[in-house]
Amino acid sequence: MIIQFTFEPKPKMQKQLIETFTQHEFLFAKGTAPRPDTEIWVTYGEDVTKETVAALPQLKWISVASAGIEKMPLVYLSDRQIHVTNARGIHKTPMAESIVGHILSLYRSLPAIYQLNEKKEWDKPKGSRELRGETALILGPGAIGAEVARLLTAFGVHIIACNRSGNSVEEAEQTIRLDELTNYLGEANIVLSLLPSTNETRHLLTNEHFEIMKEDVIFMNFGRGDVVAEKHLVAALESSPKRHAVLDVFEVEPLPPTSKLWQLENAIISPHISSHSAFYVERAMEIFSENLSKWESGDTKLRNLVDLKAGY
Amino acid sequence: MIIQFTFEPKPKMQKQLIETFTQHEFLFAKGTAPRPDTEIWVTYGEDVTKETVAALPQLKWISVASAGIEKMPLVYLSDRQIHVTNARGIHKTPMAESIVGHILSLYRSLPAIYQLNEKKEWDKPKGSRELRGETALILGPGAIGAEVARLLTAFGVHIIACNRSGNSVEEAEQTIRLDELTNYLGEANIVLSLLPSTNETRHLLTNEHFEIMKEDVIFMNFGRGDVVAEKHLVAALESSPKRHAVLDVFEVEPLPPTSKLWQLENAIISPHISSHSAFYVERAMEIFSENLSKWESGDTKLRNLVDLKAGY
């Protein structure tokens, strides 16, 4: 089989794949379209369009080395019965570390400390808070949310998980259904969205939700940018300077220079890097190797198989 | 008995004390010397000198609402058989949150994110690292060190505790003796000092120690500033720009404008605020109330009694 990569893992990883799966032909090329006879395509996903897929009549499986697949032609892929797997789960550790880091940083006045350092000024910033005893509400608690819940619990934070079903999330103190959200939003000091982008989650959060939130809430979006319309987010931040937003994702990325979010002192713009890790490609390749072994043995119950109809 | 405060707790707390301990006379005055007939003195500690204590012939107990007592006339207090209690332990939660926050911030590129925000630039900083799997060496693991160890363990960090005796610290994976330190310093990605200032700890860390440490080590001092001479610290940071120091304490505080530390980009100056918390005075008053109850019942086994000879 022809296995086409449209990114280039380190030579060591390439060699390992070639030596492990000797019966296949591996192609590694960045920035070019896959060879027309490609059967398995390994990609970061941004080059998967209806056109590129249409040019690959023998394509059976796309292995995406990232988590987001919302820009892919899901209906077309489903019609073609192409398997799609992603790398969800490998973001768990770096993202949870980033999320907890941002929370602690704001609670313990780190931005103010860094600013004073730049000015070479000894001054004691006011307003340090304790995280212990606070409440965090996590929307869309998958692998990353569970890890954040586990870590924050160690800090003595009460965790309310929120998902569609209300099925209990083990790491949370309490799990609520999405349709109960407005009853609980007012209790949370921290509201974290990890929701993917689907028809159901698009613009799920509106002014109505932000009005219920505490006036000093930290709203964090580390899922997908379109869970809230930017104008609602801007209004929520303008309504109270005590609020903060920490945003790793945006409706349009890169965030355009004209976005009002850049102007707000209480908005932290993390340029979609919270998942960065030196181990990223290595872990994605582990999942791919595991799946390729399954594929060879005829097992199509691949790890991280995407439900193309549900969109995640 | 005359109980003199030389700081002013909130009116609510003053009222509570007066109503609970009706048999005593409470005096609250900031910035003045205690009344000459004071028997119990409650203070942040900075006004306790040989002269001020000498003016209080009936003084039996000084309750210090902070942890550091190294500037007090310990020998004189010991000769006078005056009891000294401090507020150690109440710093545990806010300090551990600050310490873990600083570590995560550096590992997850938060300073770079904040700088890009100020410039309103979308750019992906390089160099984010994962904390999981790293090793932290904690020097002087008391209540704060144990709490830091517990939290870092939740992040998958290996903890080496280091104390004089080598007596096992429960929250650590491994405990070593101070005289073994140089054998282990090279393994640590993070070296955290929480040592108090005593004759034994003064300038304990020298060039020799920094030479053993990793070239990208994060050295953190949240104990007392004189554990390392500033010139050695500066040399260690100048020797490798990949190293960081996060410093909450300094040989001289406030850190003088002439200090070279201000000039180093890899030195984070936290102006002795890591213990700040809205609950600080409340918790110090809890300890004081508990001790005052004991005192009344003739029990001199006070909580947080300072060993004046050992200096902590």
Side-chain angles (χ1 to χ4, degrees):
Chain A
M1 269 197 311
I2 303 295
I3 302 177
Q4 172 82 56
F5 279 64
T6 48
F7 64 93
E8 289 174 1
K10 285 187 183 158
K12 201 180 121 190
M13 290 185 207
Q14 295 188 18
K15 191 162 170 272
Q16 205 177 354
L17 283 168
I18 292 166
E19 288 175 359
T20 310
F21 301 99
T22 49
Q23 63 278 51
H24 302 304
E25 188 177 345
F26 285 92
L27 306 169
F28 301 96
K30 201 172 158 181
T32 60
R35 219 168 78 176
D37 53 353
T38 293
E39 289 170 78
I40 298 174
W41 183 5
V42 189
T43 167
Y44 277 122
E46 74 292 345
D47 50 1
V48 178
T49 63
K50 199 167 166 182
E51 290 67 39
T52 55
V53 177
L56 308 173
Q58 298 172 57
L59 187 66
K60 293 182 184 67
W61 169 26
I62 303 176
S63 172
V64 185
S66 74
I69 47 112
E70 66 271 11
K71 288 177 186 157
M72 292 187 185
L74 301 181
V75 176
Y76 177 69
L77 290 168
S78 174
D79 290 347
R80 283 268 311 264
Q81 295 187 290
I82 292 169
H83 289 77
V84 175
T85 55
N86 68 4
R88 65 173 179 266
I90 69 170
H91 305 82
K92 187 176 85 163
T93 296
M95 282 191 69
E97 290 182 4
S98 280
I99 289 164
V100 178
H102 276 287
I103 294 171
L104 287 170
S105 177
L106 290 178
Y107 268 82
R108 304 304 301 155
S109 305
L110 268 53
I113 290 172
Y114 296 142
Q115 279 179 3
L116 288 164
N117 277 204
E118 280 185 20
K119 293 192 273 182
K120 307 187 196 315
E121 260 178 42
W122 179 281
D123 190 18
K124 305 208 174 199
K126 302 273 181 222
S128 286
R129 294 157 69 193
E130 276 184 32
L131 187 55
R132 175 165 293 278
E134 299 286 86
T135 298
L137 192 152
I138 304 178
L139 270 162
I144 301 161
E147 179 66 356
V148 172
R150 186 184 70 79
L151 291 170
L152 288 180
T153 300
F155 285 89
V157 175
H158 307 288
I159 307 291
I160 304 173
C162 176
N163 56 29
R164 202 162 33 172
S165 63
N167 286 344
S168 175
V169 172
E170 192 189 338
E171 292 80 2
E173 214 170 284
Q174 186 180 6
T175 305
I176 60 165
R177 286 193 320 272
L178 197 51
D179 61 17
E180 301 173 291
L181 181 59
T182 51
N183 300 335
Y184 292 88
L185 271 179
E187 291 178 22
N189 307 93
I190 299 151
V191 175
L192 168 64
S193 173
L194 293 164
L195 290 166
S197 175
T198 68
N199 287 336
E200 282 178 274
T201 61
R202 192 164 185 283
H203 291 183
L204 178 87
L205 298 177
T206 64
N207 281 335
E208 182 207 357
H209 297 92
F210 286 103
E211 274 163 22
I212 301 167
M213 292 186 213
K214 284 183 192 287
E215 69 158 2
D216 60 354
V217 72
I218 299 177
F219 173 76
M220 308 181 81
N221 191 0
F222 283 67
R224 282 296 176 260
D226 60 5
V227 75
V228 53
E230 187 179 296
K231 63 179 178 184
H232 290 189
L233 189 52
V234 167
L237 291 169
E238 283 177 337
S239 75
S240 169
K242 284 181 175 179
R243 288 184 169 176
H244 282 90
V246 185
L247 308 167
D248 196 51
V249 290
F250 305 86
E251 285 199 277
V252 180
E253 294 179 19
L255 185 65
T258 52
S259 167
K260 276 198 180 174
L261 289 170
W262 286 116
Q263 309 303 326
L264 294 171
E265 283 199 11
N266 50 349
I268 316 287
I269 316 292
S270 167
H272 206 143
I273 60 154
S274 69
S275 63
H276 277 214
S277 161
F279 306 118
Y280 189 97
V281 181
E282 196 176 313
R283 290 194 189 132
M285 287 305 98
E286 275 170 21
I287 297 177
F288 173 67
S289 296
E290 182 188 324
N291 277 338
L292 187 53
S293 298
K294 285 191 177 179
W295 190 266
E296 290 197 330
S297 69
D299 178 1
T300 52
K301 281 184 187 147
L302 301 177
R303 179 169 160 200
N304 286 1
L305 192 64
V306 172
D307 179 340
L308 294 172
K309 297 231 162 64
Y312 59 87
Chain B
M1 273 199 306
I2 303 297
I3 301 176
Q4 171 82 55
F5 278 64
T6 49
F7 64 92
E8 288 174 2
K10 285 187 182 156
K12 200 179 121 191
M13 291 185 207
Q14 295 188 19
K15 191 162 169 273
Q16 203 176 353
L17 283 169
I18 293 166
E19 288 175 356
T20 311
F21 301 98
T22 49
Q23 63 278 52
H24 301 304
E25 187 177 346
F26 285 91
L27 306 169
F28 301 97
K30 201 174 159 181
T32 60
R35 219 168 78 176
D37 54 352
T38 294
E39 288 171 78
I40 298 174
W41 183 6
V42 188
T43 165
Y44 278 120
E46 74 293 343
D47 51 0
V48 177
T49 64
K50 200 168 166 183
E51 290 67 39
T52 54
V53 177
L56 309 171
Q58 297 173 56
L59 186 66
K60 293 183 185 66
W61 168 26
I62 303 176
S63 171
V64 185
S66 74
I69 47 111
E70 68 270 10
K71 288 178 186 158
M72 293 186 185
L74 301 181
V75 175
Y76 177 70
L77 290 167
S78 175
D79 289 345
R80 284 268 311 265
Q81 294 187 290
I82 291 169
H83 289 76
V84 175
T85 55
N86 69 5
R88 64 173 179 267
I90 68 170
H91 306 81
K92 188 177 84 165
T93 297
M95 283 191 69
E97 291 181 3
S98 280
I99 289 165
V100 177
H102 276 289
I103 293 171
L104 287 170
S105 178
L106 290 177
Y107 267 83
R108 304 305 301 156
S109 304
L110 269 55
I113 290 172
Y114 296 142
Q115 278 178 5
L116 288 164
N117 277 204
E118 280 185 19
K119 292 191 273 182
K120 308 188 196 313
E121 259 178 43
W122 178 280
D123 189 18
K124 305 209 176 200
K126 303 272 180 222
S128 285
R129 294 157 68 193
E130 276 184 32
L131 188 54
R132 174 164 294 279
E134 299 286 86
T135 297
L137 193 151
I138 303 178
L139 270 162
I144 301 162
E147 178 67 356
V148 172
R150 185 184 72 77
L151 291 170
L152 288 180
T153 300
F155 285 89
V157 175
H158 307 288
I159 307 291
I160 305 172
C162 176
N163 55 29
R164 203 161 35 170
S165 63
N167 286 343
S168 176
V169 173
E170 192 190 339
E171 293 80 0
E173 212 170 287
Q174 186 180 6
T175 306
I176 61 165
R177 287 192 318 271
L178 197 51
D179 60 17
E180 302 174 291
L181 180 60
T182 50
N183 300 334
Y184 292 89
L185 270 180
E187 291 178 22
N189 306 94
I190 298 151
V191 175
L192 167 64
S193 172
L194 293 164
L195 290 167
S197 174
T198 68
N199 286 335
E200 282 178 274
T201 62
R202 190 164 186 280
H203 292 182
L204 177 88
L205 298 175
T206 63
N207 282 334
E208 182 206 358
H209 297 92
F210 287 103
E211 275 163 22
I212 302 167
M213 291 185 214
K214 283 183 193 287
E215 69 159 3
D216 60 355
V217 71
I218 298 176
F219 173 75
M220 308 181 81
N221 192 0
F222 283 67
R224 281 295 177 261
D226 59 4
V227 76
V228 52
E230 187 180 296
K231 63 179 177 184
H232 290 188
L233 188 54
V234 167
L237 291 169
E238 283 177 339
S239 74
S240 169
K242 286 182 174 177
R243 286 184 169 176
H244 282 90
V246 185
L247 308 167
D248 195 52
V249 291
F250 305 87
E251 284 199 278
V252 180
E253 293 177 20
L255 186 65
T258 52
S259 168
K260 277 198 179 174
L261 289 170
W262 287 116
Q263 309 302 326
L264 294 171
E265 284 200 9
N266 49 350
I268 317 286
I269 316 292
S270 166
H272 208 143
I273 60 155
S274 69
S275 63
H276 276 214
S277 161
F279 306 117
Y280 189 97
V281 181
E282 196 177 313
R283 289 192 191 136
M285 286 305 98
E286 274 170 23
I287 297 177
F288 173 66
S289 296
E290 182 188 324
N291 276 338
L292 186 53
S293 298
K294 285 190 178 181
W295 189 268
E296 291 197 329
S297 69
D299 178 359
T300 53
K301 281 183 189 149
L302 301 177
R303 179 168 159 202
N304 287 0
L305 192 65
V306 172
D307 179 340
L308 294 171
K309 298 232 162 63
Y312 59 88

